Amino acid sequence: MTGDPNKAVPLPSGPASLCFDKDVFMKDGFDVDNFVMECRRRVPLETLRDDLNTYLKILRSAMIELINKDYADFVNLSTNLVGMDKAITNLTVPLGEMKDQVMTVKVAMEEAVHAVEEKLKHREQIREKKACLQRLMNIISSVEKIEKLLGISDNESTTGTLTGQLIERVANEFNKLQFNVTKSKGHALVDKIRPRITTITTTLQYSLEGHFVEGLENGNVEILQQCLRTYALIDKIKDAENLFRINVVRPYMEKVIQ
């Protein structure tokens, strides 16, 4: 360590694939935000984060190697006390400069990594909010569509029995509605339109029940198959079982007992 004490120790080289110039960290007036902004124009934030972590590992490894090398020189000086003060001075100055440079780069890289992680976190929050908003829009769309199909207006439902195909269409849309409502549980909008969802549920079950009973009474296999598919779609198989028990099993058992 007898070189020029004023000469800066060069930074270790990194992979050619790095998305930034390592020397940028040593420039006067280095700014983390500007650095991240410039890199984002070329590569995604995830790539910048990975490259920063890669070079940080290289920097730490180079620092350890340099310290080990200088330590050996320092130990060798102890065998010759002549000019020890000068040798120590020559060793201390570049080591101090090297330490300052390493710390400067380390701090700059850590700030850059932190900035990238914050931006990624913010992006994820935006993505989640967009998904939530889309679910709420889907809920409103499904409610309005089902109400139109069922003829519901101002929370008043129709009293007539719907056709099987229409019930199945409503059930498909109702299934989507239930999925989005479950995903958006606790949201104020969901609580606000829950009475409308309750009306839809009641109307659908009433129409489906009438259609199923009609199929049982007439022995219409096609209607029964359609109703059972719909019950399965809205996860109400037990309702179908209960209707079958009341309208078929109970009358039959009463006749047998008599």
Side-chain angles (χ1 to χ4, degrees), residues 18-200:
L18 290 178
C19 64
F20 54 82
D21 180 6
K22 61 183 177 59
D23 295 326
V24 71
F25 299 111
M26 300 301 298
K27 293 182 179 180
D28 294 335
F30 171 77
D31 183 76
V32 173
D33 292 333
N34 289 336
F35 170 75
V36 174
M37 188 178 300
E38 287 295 327
C39 291
R40 282 191 64 185
R41 295 175 181 173
R42 300 189 299 272
V43 296
L45 287 173
E46 291 83 354
T47 301
L48 175 57
R49 178 190 59 191
D50 294 341
D51 284 359
L52 286 170
N53 283 324
T54 297
Y55 191 67
L56 184 58
K57 292 177 182 178
I58 294 173
L59 193 64
R60 288 172 176 167
S61 177
M63 180 177 65
I64 293 173
E65 291 179 2
L66 188 57
I67 290 175
N68 289 337
K69 177 181 177 181
D70 292 336
Y71 180 76
D73 293 339
F74 179 77
V75 171
N76 290 334
L77 289 175
S78 63
T79 60
N80 186 1
L81 298 179
V82 178
M84 177 63 72
D85 292 341
K86 183 178 179 181
I88 291 177
T89 300
N90 291 337
L91 181 64
T92 302
V93 173
L95 279 177
E97 291 181 350
M98 184 271 294
K99 178 181 178 181
D100 292 340
Q101 293 173 6
V102 170
M103 290 304 299
T104 298
V105 175
K106 181 175 180 292
V107 170
M109 293 188 66
E110 288 176 346
E111 290 178 351
V113 170
H114 178 71
V116 170
E117 290 177 345
E118 285 297 315
K119 290 182 182 297
L120 288 173
K121 182 179 179 181
H122 181 62
R123 177 187 291 179
E124 181 61 25
Q125 291 174 345
I126 292 176
R127 186 182 296 112
E128 291 176 357
K129 289 180 179 179
K130 285 183 177 179
C132 179
L133 179 60
Q134 185 61 53
R135 286 195 297 268
L136 294 175
M137 292 173 62
N138 290 340
I139 289 174
I140 295 174
S141 176
S142 293
V143 168
E144 292 177 347
K145 184 175 181 180
I146 295 173
E147 286 178 339
K148 183 177 180 180
L149 290 172
L150 294 177
I152 298 175
S153 177
D154 297 329
N155 293 329
E156 293 295 333
S157 62
T158 57
T159 56
T161 302
L162 303 175
T163 64
Q165 290 183 346
L166 183 56
I167 291 176
E168 199 164 4
R169 285 180 58 192
V170 171
N172 274 291
E173 195 65 35
F174 182 78
N175 193 38
K176 298 176 185 177
L177 173 62
Q178 289 293 84
F179 172 80
N180 287 312
V181 167
T182 301
K183 289 290 185 179
S184 305
K185 186 177 181 181
H187 197 281
L189 178 62
V190 175
D191 295 335
K192 184 177 180 180
I193 66 172
R194 192 169 295 280
R196 295 169 65 183
I197 297 176
T198 300
T199 301
I200 287 172

Side-chain angles (χ1 to χ4, degrees), residues 214-225:
E214 178 187 346
L216 290 175
E217 292 176 348
N218 299 329
N220 192 318
V221 176
E222 183 178 353
I223 291 179
L224 291 175
Q225 288 177 339

